[in-house]
C-alpha cells in the first residue's frame, strides 16, 4: 500500500478489532450466525495482516494471493457473493503489490521524462518522484464503486427503524447482531481505504 504509515496502523487496528470480535461472536453467538461470523473474522484478520505498514518479505504477496484466491473460490462455491468479491479483491491487491505497473511512453515525451527523472533524482517534486499506483484502474474503480455501495447500504441498515418493536431474542441478541453488522461496515471502509491506497 502507498500512503503514510499511520493510515496502515489505523487499518491494522480497525481490521484486527473487527476480526477479533467476529471470531469471538463465532464462538459465542447464535448457531445461525457462527459460520458467517467466522468467515468475516478470518477475512478481517487477513486484511489486518495485509495492511501491516512494515516492509513485508518478498514472498508475502504470493502467500496473500494464494490464501485470498482460495477463500474467494470457496465463497463462490458456497454462494456467498460478497465474501467472494472481498476475498478476490484482496487477492487482486496482493497481486498488484508484485506486478509492476505498466505506463505507456510516447516518443514525444521522452525528453520531458528524462528531465523529470533528473529532477526527481536531485530531490525535485516532479511526478517521477512518486511511485505509480498499481492495479488496473478500471477494476480498481469498479471495486471502489462496489464497496462504497456496500458500506452505504449496510450503514443504512444499522439505523433502527422508527416504531420497530422488540424482536425475538431479546436486546442482547439485537445488540450482538448490530455490532456484527457494524464490523462489516468497518471492514468495508477498510477495504475502501486499501483500494484507495493501492
Amino acid at each position: 500500500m502507498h500512503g503514510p504509515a499511520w493510515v496502515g496502523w489505523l487499518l491494522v487496528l480497525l481490521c484486527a478489532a473487527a476480526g477479533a470480535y467476529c471470531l469471538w461472536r463465532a464462538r459465542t453467538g447464535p448457531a445461525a450466525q457462527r459460520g458467517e461470523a467466522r468467515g468475516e473474522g478470518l477475512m478481517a484478520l487477513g486484511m489486518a495482516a495485509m495492511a501491516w505498514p512494515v516492509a513485508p518479505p518478498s514472498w508475502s504477496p504470493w502467500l496473500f494471493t494464494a490464501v485470498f484466491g482460495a477463500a474467494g473460490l470457496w465463497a463462490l462455491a458456497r454462494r456467498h457473493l460478497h465474501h467472494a468479491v472481498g476475498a478476490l479483491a484482496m487477492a487482486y491487491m496482493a497481486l498488484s503489490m508484485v506486478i509492476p505497473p505498466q505506463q505507456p511512453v510516447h516518443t514525444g515525451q521522452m525528453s520531458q521524462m528524462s528531465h523529470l527523472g533528473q529532477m526527481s533524482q536531485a530531490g525535485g517534486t516532479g511526478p517521477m518522484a512518486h511511485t505509480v499506483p498499481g492495479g488496473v484502474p478500471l477494476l480498481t474503480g469498479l471495486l471502489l464503486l462496489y464497496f462504497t455501495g456496500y458500506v452505504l447500504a449496510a450503514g443504512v441498515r444499522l439505523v433502527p427503524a422508527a416504531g420497530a418493536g422488540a424482536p425475538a431474542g431479546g436486546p442482547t441478541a439485537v445488540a450482538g447482531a448490530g455490532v456484527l453488522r457494524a464490523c462489516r461496515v468497518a471492514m468495508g471502509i477498510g477495504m475502501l481505504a486499501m483500494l484507495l491506497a493501492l
Side-chain angles (χ1 to χ4, degrees), residues 55-168:
S58 61
W59 49 264
S60 66
W62 297 112
L63 177 67
F64 287 135
T65 301
V67 169
F68 285 117
L73 294 175
W74 176 260
L76 274 177
R78 298 189 53 122
R79 298 179 190 209
H80 294 278
L81 187 59
H82 174 69
H83 289 176
V85 170
L88 293 174
M90 294 297 289
Y92 160 70
M93 286 188 278
L95 269 179
S96 69
M97 290 167 50
V98 291
I99 297 175
Q102 301 294 322
Q103 272 191 321
V105 178
H106 301 290
T107 55
Q109 297 175 339
M110 287 303 286
S111 62
Q112 180 184 7
M113 287 181 65
S114 65
H115 173 69
L116 288 174
Q118 292 168 357
M119 202 167 87
S120 68
Q121 289 174 356
T125 57
M128 297 296 280
H130 301 287
T131 58
V132 178
V136 179
L138 178 63
L139 183 55
T140 303
L142 289 173
L143 288 170
L144 283 168
L145 283 174
Y146 173 79
F147 283 106
T148 300
Y150 177 79
V151 165
L152 291 175
V156 166
R157 281 181 267 161
L158 282 175
V159 179

